[in-house]
Amino acid sequence: MAKGRASTIFYCQSCGYESAKWMGQCPGCREWNTFVEEPTDRTSLTGGSGGGLSGRRDRPVPTVLAQVAVREEDRLSTGMGELDRVLGGGIVQGSLTLVGGDPGIGKSTLLLQVCRNLSGDGHSVLYISGEESPAQIKMRADRIGEFSSRMLLLCETNLGEIAQVIRSQRPEAVVIDSIQTMYNENVSSAPGSVSQVRESTSVLMQLAKGLGVSVFLVGHVTKEGTVAGPRVLEHMVDTVLYFEGERHASYRILRGVKNRFGSTDEIGVFEMRERGLEEVRNASEYMLNGRPENASGSVVVCTMEGTRPLLVEIQALVCHTSFGIPRRQATGADFNRMNLLMAVLEKRSGMQLAACDAYVNITGGLRILEPAVDLGVVIAVLSSFRNCALNPRLAAFGEVGLSGEIRGVSMAKQRVAEAERLGFDTCILPYVSAEECRRGSGGPHEGGMKIIGVKTVQDVIDRLF
Ligand code: TYD
Ligand code: MG
């Protein structure tokens, strides 16, 4: 590394921000104490002998855009409908997908199941682990099921060797578990450091694009919720999926954060069982499991997760504060939004909420920021404040504005249809959305669903309480 000047650079481990000197706070992501010093190695990124990318070094020739051939059928099904949907319809050939999540959430299990399905369908798959021994992986695989002989396993962390194996084996799909354990000999810093992770990803990206191999990277998440070290990774890969879930609940949610081949607002719901992850096709039913009957402060809202309607329960607990300053807490809902909605309620309906503690919870550990849950929060708070239980077969959705008006939201029909499918008999929704549902003949509400269109918060109080 003796190259005249001592060359080191400081990186933010959270977002990859580069700086010539150490800083206490990162100007990029505002995190504290995230800077680490690493040697600068710029040799291998440009190819040369190191890194050895696609092996081809011809002069680049521009292509006529109109003549670029695209084949739609290049997508491989993962054998799991939930995952396919989040990916935008399956795995794109030559794509690089990052699967992030907390340790123990089930990333390795998910990808092992993908490998099993792909190899079972006759595709060649290579699973590369830098964390576990073949015996450990076999133990997990045994719980999942039988694997075909097209599924190969490699326990290795040296990226140069890995690249050689991928080039000689030419598998259709490769899993790297995890990117933070991989190291490149051309980079002198430790595995998991910003420059190692960046460099490894860039090598794998060029392998993926050059050979048409679909690559999955497992990335660990730090407590801040970003992939450890490099958020830079997110910019380099084609697709970023995050695997989330409550530590104590068995279901897991796979969320698309970035997708160059599809939409990002889809989620997939899975449940961790003894034999691996199982898809949850009927997510609404799952989310409403164990709902209290005839309890005040509980209401079901219809929210949209991508193209799919999902019913979730919102609970509120409002009680007189025993301290000077009332406590407020939101779990799963936006805290500022909750305060705003309570201020609207106080102003428009004259309720004395300022002297009340209030807790709002979206059950099931989901985090929903869609404004369509506003009406649910308002109704739950009202119900708890008045200690008045609602019809358990009531569903609600709608955005609440600052003047207490109930504003229309998108896809009203799908939401009503989902509520009806799960046996709800009444739906309270914005007046404009109710009109929209009525207008379309043959709409879902015709099966006996009672539609209540409301224009203001006062309307809601008049109709429900
Ligand atoms: P794992 O895939 O190792 O997590 P990650 O790779 O994200 O760190 O999953 C680990 C957890 O999943 C572990 O606590 C055990 C549990 N698990 C099951 O409950 N059932 C199963 O069939 C398997 C394989 C794992
Ligand atoms: Mg793992």
Side-chain angles (χ1 to χ4, degrees):
M1 284 296 108
K3 271 193 238 151
R5 276 182 300 140
S7 46
T8 60
I9 195 159
F10 292 86
Y11 287 109
C12 167
Q13 284 193 295
S14 168
C15 70
Y17 189 94
E18 287 178 27
S19 164
K21 60 179 179 19
W22 187 86
M23 278 186 274
Q25 187 186 27
C26 171
C29 64
R30 311 241 141 251
E31 290 291 327
W32 291 91
N33 289 327
T34 52
F35 274 88
V36 286
E37 184 175 14
E38 286 180 16
T40 44
D41 303 286
R42 292 281 169 211
T43 46
S44 55
L45 262 183
T46 42
S49 58
L53 306 172
S54 59
R56 201 165 39 83
R57 281 275 162 261
D58 301 336
R59 184 134 313 147
V61 184
T63 326
V64 178
L65 176 62
Q67 289 170 4
V68 175
V70 183
R71 281 170 298 150
E72 252 314 306
E73 63 279 6
D74 278 352
R75 283 183 189 255
L76 292 182
S77 168
T78 60
M80 288 194 256
E82 295 286 303
L83 177 56
D84 282 350
R85 203 187 43 251
V86 179
L87 287 170
I91 308 170
V92 175
Q93 197 193 2
S95 65
L96 193 62
T97 306
L98 174 67
V99 180
D102 290 326
I105 200 88
K107 301 178 294 295
S108 305
T109 308
L110 178 76
L111 290 174
L112 207 57
Q113 281 179 260
V114 169
C115 289
R116 173 173 176 263
N117 296 344
L118 285 176
S119 60
D121 286 345
H123 304 290
S124 50
V125 182
L126 178 59
Y127 186 98
I128 301 165
S129 178
E131 303 195 329
E132 290 160 306
S133 67
Q136 277 175 306
I137 297 168
K138 180 69 167 59
M139 266 157 58
R140 181 183 290 124
D142 282 344
R143 296 168 76 173
I144 292 171
E146 289 279 307
F147 279 74
S148 94
S149 58
R150 289 176 178 274
M151 157 89 182
L152 300 180
L153 193 59
L154 177 69
C155 291
E156 179 60 65
T157 53
N158 183 335
L159 208 69
E161 304 284 337
I162 289 171
Q164 287 301 332
V165 174
I166 294 177
R167 253 185 243 116
S168 63
Q169 295 282 342
R170 290 289 184 115
E172 285 171 74
V174 170
V175 172
I176 305 283
D177 189 0
S178 66
I179 188 68
Q180 277 102 347
T181 54
M182 298 298 147
Y183 78 95
N184 195 320
E185 280 170 340
N186 302 323
V187 181
S188 52
S189 49
S193 63
V194 179
S195 18
Q196 277 288 3
V197 170
R198 252 188 200 174
E199 182 66 21
S200 305
T201 307
S202 105
V203 168
L204 288 162
M205 177 169 64
Q206 298 188 44
L207 272 173
K209 306 291 168 198
L211 303 177
V213 188
S214 308
V215 179
F216 285 89
L217 307 177
V218 170
H220 291 300
V221 160
T222 55
K223 60 183 188 313
E224 291 85 24
T226 51
V227 168
R231 215 180 284 159
V232 267
L233 261 186
E234 290 190 358
H235 308 300
M236 299 170 72
V237 300
D238 298 312
T239 307
V240 180
L241 310 179
Y242 281 106
F243 213 23
E244 323 172 333
E246 283 280 292
R247 194 144 270 284
H248 311 290
S250 61
Y251 75 87
R252 305 278 184 265
I253 290 174
L254 190 68
R255 192 181 291 281
V257 177
K258 164 182 175 180
N259 195 345
R260 287 189 182 144
F261 313 111
S263 94
T264 50
D265 43 21
E266 297 289 351
I267 62 163
V269 185
F270 297 87
E271 187 180 359
M272 185 61 97
R273 298 273 189 87
E274 303 82 61
R275 302 184 59 77
L277 289 159
E278 217 158 276
E279 296 173 63
V280 176
R281 293 234 169 67
N282 198 345
S284 294
E285 197 171 292
Y286 196 81
M287 292 296 157
L288 296 182
N289 256 348
R291 198 179 152 224
E293 292 273 310
N294 297 320
S296 67
S298 156
V299 70
V300 168
V301 292
C302 317
T303 168
M304 297 297 296
E305 286 289 354
T307 54
R308 198 162 55 149
L310 183 67
L311 298 187
V312 291
E313 183 192 349
I314 296 199
Q315 295 185 329
L317 182 66
V318 181
C319 48
H320 201 79
T321 183
S322 350
F323 303 101
I325 303 164
R327 259 186 78 87
R328 299 229 166 135
Q329 188 180 320
T331 314
D334 182 3
F335 178 70
N336 293 327
R337 192 88 197 157
M338 165 195 167
N339 279 322
L340 184 148
L341 292 172
M342 291 190 63
V344 169
L345 264 181
E346 177 138 17
K347 181 89 178 174
R348 306 289 161 196
S349 70
M351 293 181 344
Q352 294 297 310
L353 289 168
C356 292
D357 289 347
Y359 307 88
V360 169
N361 179 23
I362 296 185
T363 60
L366 273 183
R367 189 163 165 72
I368 299 178
L369 301 175
E370 196 197 19
V373 300
D374 288 357
L375 188 55
V377 172
V378 164
I379 293 174
V381 167
L382 275 168
S383 161
S384 179
F385 183 76
R386 303 205 167 190
N387 205 11
C388 161
L390 297 161
N391 168 12
R393 304 274 114 218
L394 169 81
F397 62 89
E399 181 180 344
V400 177
L402 288 188
S403 353
E405 82 277 20
I406 313 291
R407 312 171 68 105
V409 296
S410 60
M411 301 201 246
K413 267 190 193 173
Q414 285 94 319
R415 297 180 202 248
V416 173
E418 178 76 354
E420 180 153 34
R421 193 175 69 78
L422 281 141
F424 285 76
D425 60 17
T426 314
C427 194
I428 182 160
L429 65 167
Y431 185 78
V432 283
S433 306
E435 287 299 294
E436 186 191 316
C437 286
R438 288 205 186 91
R439 233 179 293 126
S441 60
H445 54 283
E446 298 199 335
M449 185 84 160
K450 186 174 163 206
I451 301 273
I452 307 176
V454 282
K455 284 183 176 162
T456 62
V457 168
Q458 193 56 48
D459 273 358
V460 178
I461 299 174
D462 295 343
R463 300 296 293 265
L464 291 184
F465 297 95

